[in-house]
């Protein structure tokens, strides 16, 4: 059945072909190649002159025999050594001078399948279907060839990506057919014709453009090869809205554009800010083009040549993406802990005739002991040897947790000692859990604090005018905890956070009307977290330790027992700020359809 279909196909082709005249032996076979094309394989036989082709199939083994009458092998074609690689079912390719005026080309095939023979002025093409791509094989070529295209291989195109309609050729290069081609002193017209056949596009070459091309392209997308050849020749290409490609010198294309009428279109923008979008669009405008942002209607007004207008609108549409919404949940923990330890001793020594009335209140003999001397009244006897003393009289522990007094009489003296002690712990734990939603690349601010009014005195106003009272005004200062977050969703689904944290508090100076101090702790950093992952910001810790000691000279410095003659105070304050940030993506962006 295969043999029959094969023979019928070949017979129909031969019957349709007109009889060829007698061979003049002026034909030449110059090159043989086996190359892939779109959905098929092709055996390309480069010929020159008038030749006649006949074909037939043979079995045991399976082969296709092509006889090219009126042709001889060109110099360099004496041998045709196939590399032995099976391509599209072809096992071997043999080329030899069968008779003085007939060149025979034999294809050893794995099995017989339908094929088609096509004849052109420069080549004979034998095509047969295959769904498998392969690397092209180029046999020996003529040593003095001047053919414009020695071998062309077109690989199947890659899957077409999702792209905008009428995108420029360079944007479509990823899904374009890949070619392998060699030119040797080919005219630019022939090269353009080859690209037109490969791409299926209409390509118009400018007037009086004369170039010769010598180059080799190996397995490249045809748009990239097309632009590379044009750039090497000092030419440029412009694709019109209908798909026609103009090829000319850049100056000529610019002159043609200057004669093309301009059009104006209004592009409604849904998500992007037109003020920011216009700056990006200006990069694809021609010299005669302009783009204006109408913020009232969020519209971009584009004016440009008709051939470039669609490209500008496509760019606006591509940039107008629905932004991703991001929910940022923060937990702010502020812990303020103060530890206070105070301990001190006081002493009072006096007699009935002489004493300092500060620590121990003594009765007034004049009233019979009913009333006591006022605290500021001291009795000093200057008539004899007397002794009185007070140790650490002004040292006071406010709200002491322990007051211990011991009194004894030694001779005519009364000795009284006082012990005060305090241990205090203050703990403040503030937790805030704010939540805010923002869009990609837009800053969100979370603040927990107060606006504190601060009285500011202008001292210079009083100095400038004698007798005038210094003017004062009230200013508000922000204090508390502030968190600034700018999220960005990466292409792989991660979330990058630009974080700025700050904690501030107001502290007034001890002297009146001298101003204030704002104590701050702040950090700025960038973290990368997954969607729903919690980022922990630490390091905002302030520890303050204050120690003071006062006592009786010399005695308070004694080892071991020095504490019995002094007052000591230790205050430790620790402030910890911990911020936890958890971002979550709420929605995905998508391309907005063209308006």
């Amino acid at each position: 059945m295969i043999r029959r279909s094969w023979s019928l196909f070949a017979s129909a082709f031969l019957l349709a072909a007109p009889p060829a005249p007698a061979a003049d032996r002026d034909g030449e076979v110059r090159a043989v190649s086996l190359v892939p094309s779109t959905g098929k394989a092709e055996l390309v036989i480069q010929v020159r002159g008038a030749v006649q082709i006949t074909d037939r199939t043979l079995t045991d083994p399976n082969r296709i025999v092509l006889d090219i009458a009126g042709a001889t092998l060109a110099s360099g074609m004496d041998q045709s050594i196939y590399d032995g690689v099976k391509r599209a079912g072809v096992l071997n390719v043999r080329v030899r001078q069968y008779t003085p005026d007939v060149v025979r080309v034999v294809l050893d095939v794995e099995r017989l399948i339908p094929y088609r023979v096509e004849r052109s002025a420069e080549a004979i093409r034998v095509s047969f279907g295959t769904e498998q791509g392969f690397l092209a094989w180029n046999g020996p070529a003529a040593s003095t060839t001047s053919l414009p295209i020695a071998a062309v291989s077109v690989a199947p195109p890659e899957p077409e990506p999702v792209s905008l309609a009428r995108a420029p050729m360079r944007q479509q290069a990823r899904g374009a057919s890949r070619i392998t081609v060699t030119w040797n002193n080919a005219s630019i017209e022939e090269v353009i014709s080859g690209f037109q056949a490969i791409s299926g596009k209409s390509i118009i070459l400018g007037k009086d453009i004369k170039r010769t091309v010598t180059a080799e392209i190996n397995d490249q997308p045809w748009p990239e090869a097309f632009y590379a050849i044009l750039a090497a020749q000092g030419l440029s290409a412009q694709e019109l809205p209908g798909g026609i490609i103009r090829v000319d010198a850049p100056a000529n294309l610019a002159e043609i554009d200057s004669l093309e009428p301009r059009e104006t279109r209004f592009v409604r923008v849904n998500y992007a800010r037109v003020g920011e979008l216009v700056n990006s669009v200006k990069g694809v405008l021609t010299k005669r083009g302009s783009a204006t942002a109408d913020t009232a209607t969020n519209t971009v007004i584009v004016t440009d040549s008709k051939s470039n207008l669609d490209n500008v609108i496509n760019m606006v549409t591509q940039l107008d993406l629905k932004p991703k919404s991001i929910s940022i949940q923060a937990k702010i923990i502020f812990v303020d802990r103060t530890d206070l330890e105070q301990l001190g001793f006081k002493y009072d020594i006096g007699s009935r005739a002489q004493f300092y009335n500060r620590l121990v209140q003594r009765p007034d003999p004049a009233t019979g002991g009913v009333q006591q001397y006022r605290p500021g009244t001291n009795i000093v006897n200057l008539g004899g040897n007397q002794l009185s003393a007070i140790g650490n009289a002004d040292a006071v522990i406010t709200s002491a947790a322990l007051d211990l007094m011991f009194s004894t009489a030694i001779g005519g003296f009364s000795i009284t000692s006082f012990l005060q002690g305090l241990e205090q712990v203050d703990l403040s734990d503030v937790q805030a859990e704010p939540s805010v939603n923002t869009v990609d690349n837009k800053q969100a601010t979370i603040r927990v604090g107060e606006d504190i009014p601060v009285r500011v005195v202008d001292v210079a106003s009083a100095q400038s005018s004698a007798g005038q009272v210094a003017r004062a005004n009230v200013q508000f200062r922000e204090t508390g905890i502030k968190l600034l977050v700018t999220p960005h969703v990466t292409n792989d689904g991660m979330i990058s956070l630009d974080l700025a944290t700050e904690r501030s508090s107001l502290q007034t100076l001890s002297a009146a009307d001298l101003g204030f101090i704002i104590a701050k702790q702040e950090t700025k950093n960038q973290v990368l977290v997954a969607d729903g992952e919690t980022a922990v910001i630490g390091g905002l810790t302030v520890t303050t330790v204050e120690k003071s000691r006062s006592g009786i000279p010399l005695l308070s410095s004694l080892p071991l027992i020095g504490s019995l003659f002094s007052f000591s105070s230790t205050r430790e304050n620790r402030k910890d700020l911990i911020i936890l940030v958890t971002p979550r993506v709420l929605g995905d962006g998508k391309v907005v359809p063209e308006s």
Side-chain angles (χ1 to χ4, degrees):
M1 185 67 184
I2 294 177
R3 174 71 177 272
R4 181 182 179 186
S5 62
W6 183 282
S7 301
L8 289 175
F9 190 92
S11 299
F13 181 83
L14 293 176
L15 290 174
D24 296 331
R25 298 185 59 183
D26 59 347
E28 216 175 28
V29 176
R30 307 185 61 80
V32 178
S33 302
L34 182 60
V35 298
S37 183
T38 305
K40 62 183 179 179
E42 288 186 346
L43 178 70
V44 182
I45 305 173
Q46 298 288 344
V47 297
R48 186 178 66 177
V51 297
Q52 181 181 358
I53 177 71
T54 60
D55 65 285
R56 64 184 184 276
T57 61
L58 300 174
T59 58
D60 299 326
N62 298 323
R63 55 196 184 276
I64 302 173
V65 180
L66 304 170
D67 287 337
I68 306 172
T72 58
L73 287 176
S75 176
M77 287 290 295
D78 296 338
Q79 295 181 355
S80 180
I81 302 175
Y82 191 69
D83 57 4
V85 177
K86 184 173 71 172
R87 295 177 174 87
V90 177
L91 305 177
N92 193 12
V93 179
R94 292 173 287 163
V95 181
R96 66 186 180 94
Q97 190 74 43
Y98 183 64
T99 64
D101 61 345
V102 176
V103 174
R104 175 167 288 182
V105 180
V106 180
L107 276 74
D108 294 338
V109 294
E110 188 176 25
R111 60 186 180 89
L112 294 177
I113 59 175
Y115 64 94
R116 181 181 181 87
V117 180
E118 297 178 340
R119 175 72 168 89
S120 65
E122 298 177 353
I124 299 171
R125 296 178 181 270
V126 182
S127 59
F128 43 93
T130 179
E131 297 180 356
Q132 298 179 353
F134 58 89
L135 186 63
W137 170 77
N138 296 320
S143 58
T144 58
T145 183
S146 61
L147 292 176
I149 302 181
V152 179
S153 169
V154 182
E158 299 176 0
E160 191 71 26
V162 178
S163 60
L164 300 175
R166 298 192 298 273
M169 286 189 298
R170 290 198 175 189
Q171 296 181 11
Q172 300 174 356
R174 181 180 176 185
S177 300
R178 306 178 72 88
I179 65 171
T180 299
V181 59
T182 302
W183 293 283
N184 187 7
N185 294 326
S187 66
I188 188 66
E189 293 88 352
E190 295 170 337
V191 174
I192 294 299
S193 298
F195 276 112
Q196 183 169 335
I198 293 170
S199 64
K201 291 181 176 289
S202 299
I203 305 178
I204 300 176
L205 184 64
K207 183 180 179 182
D208 299 330
I209 300 297
K210 303 296 181 182
R211 302 284 196 281
T212 58
V213 179
T214 299
E216 181 177 354
I217 304 295
N218 292 319
D219 192 27
Q220 296 295 327
W222 77 262
E224 295 295 337
F226 182 67
Y227 273 101
I229 293 298
L230 294 183
Q233 299 296 323
L235 301 175
S236 183
Q238 183 180 36
E239 186 173 7
L240 301 178
I244 300 176
I245 302 173
R246 297 187 306 190
V247 176
D248 210 330
N252 294 338
L253 291 178
E255 183 178 354
I256 295 174
D257 289 338
S258 64
L259 300 177
E260 186 178 1
R262 299 192 304 168
E263 292 186 4
T264 300
R265 294 189 188 179
F266 299 87
V267 185
R268 294 291 300 271
V269 178
N270 294 324
Y271 304 106
R273 300 291 180 88
V274 291
E276 301 173 358
L277 191 60
V278 164
N279 295 329
S280 301
V281 172
K282 289 181 178 179
V284 296
L285 294 172
T286 63
K287 294 181 179 180
R288 302 168 60 225
S290 63
T292 306
D294 183 13
T295 56
T297 60
N298 211 39
T299 302
V300 179
I301 304 174
V302 181
T303 301
D304 207 343
S305 60
K306 184 177 180 181
S307 59
N308 190 52
L309 199 57
D310 287 338
N311 293 334
V312 178
I313 295 176
N314 287 337
M315 183 174 182
V316 173
T317 305
Q318 191 173 11
L319 294 177
D320 186 22
L321 298 177
K322 180 179 180 180
K324 296 181 180 180
S325 298
I326 302 173
S327 173
I328 300 176
Q329 296 179 348
K331 186 173 184 179
I332 303 172
I333 303 173
F334 178 65
V335 180
D336 187 350
R337 179 186 176 93
T338 302
D339 295 331
L340 177 62
E341 294 181 358
Q342 291 179 313
L343 181 66
F345 289 88
K346 296 182 180 181
Y347 298 94
D348 181 272
I349 302 175
S351 64
R352 295 184 177 181
Q354 178 171 293
F355 54 85
Y356 293 104
N357 192 32
R358 295 184 63 182
L359 297 180
V360 178
Q361 300 296 315
R362 291 171 171 80
D364 186 358
T367 60
V370 177
Q371 295 181 353
Q372 296 179 342
Y373 288 103
R374 288 179 297 177
T377 301
N378 299 320
I379 304 300
V380 179
N381 185 2
L382 302 179
N385 297 328
Q386 296 290 334
L387 177 65
S388 61
I390 296 178
N392 299 326
D394 294 330
V396 178
I397 295 179
T398 305
S399 303
L402 175 65
D403 284 319
L404 181 62
M405 183 179 66
F406 174 76
S407 179
T408 184
I410 301 177
F413 297 94
S414 175
I415 301 176
T416 305
S417 61
F418 297 87
L419 170 63
Q420 287 185 313
L422 174 65
E423 183 174 350
Q424 182 178 344
V425 177
D426 294 330
L427 179 62
S428 175
D429 186 356
V430 179
Q431 296 188 14
E433 297 185 12
S435 178
V436 65
N437 291 348
T438 184
V439 296
D440 193 15
N441 290 322
K442 296 300 181 181
Q443 187 182 82
T445 301
I446 301 175
R447 177 173 171 264
V448 180
E450 302 85 19
D451 288 345
I452 299 179
V454 178
R455 181 171 177 266
V456 180
V457 178
D458 187 4
V459 181
S461 62
Q463 295 177 351
S464 60
S465 300
Q468 295 292 330
V469 179
R471 293 191 300 268
N473 54 40
V474 176
Q475 298 180 0
F476 287 88
R477 293 291 184 267
E478 293 183 356
T479 60
I481 299 172
K482 183 186 294 185
L483 174 64
L484 285 78
V485 184
T486 304
H488 170 63
V489 181
T490 62
N491 293 331
D492 57 354
M494 301 291 287
I495 302 177
S496 175
L497 299 175
D498 288 333
L499 297 168
T501 59
E502 176 185 312
R503 179 195 173 273
S504 59
S505 60
L506 189 69
Q507 299 177 0
T508 57
L509 296 177
S510 57
D513 294 335
L514 290 183
F516 55 89
I517 297 175
I518 296 180
K520 290 184 179 181
Q521 301 89 38
E522 60 181 352
T523 62
K524 292 182 179 181
N525 59 341
Q526 186 177 35
V527 296
L528 184 65
V529 296
D531 186 9
E533 185 179 356
T534 300
V536 181
I537 305 173
L540 296 180
T541 300
V542 178
T543 302
T544 304
V545 179
E546 298 178 357
K547 292 184 178 181
S548 62
R549 185 176 182 181
S550 62
I552 301 173
L554 298 179
L555 295 179
S556 61
S557 301
L558 294 176
L560 300 179
I561 64 173
S563 299
L564 299 176
F565 304 98
S566 63
F567 264 72
S568 61
S569 175
T570 302
R571 179 188 295 270
E572 180 177 351
N573 178 253
R574 180 183 178 90
K575 298 178 181 179
D576 294 317
L577 176 62
I578 301 175
I579 300 177
L580 309 176
V581 179
T582 304
R584 289 183 175 87
V585 179
L586 301 180
D588 296 331
K590 63 181 179 180
V591 178
V592 181
E594 183 177 353
S595 59

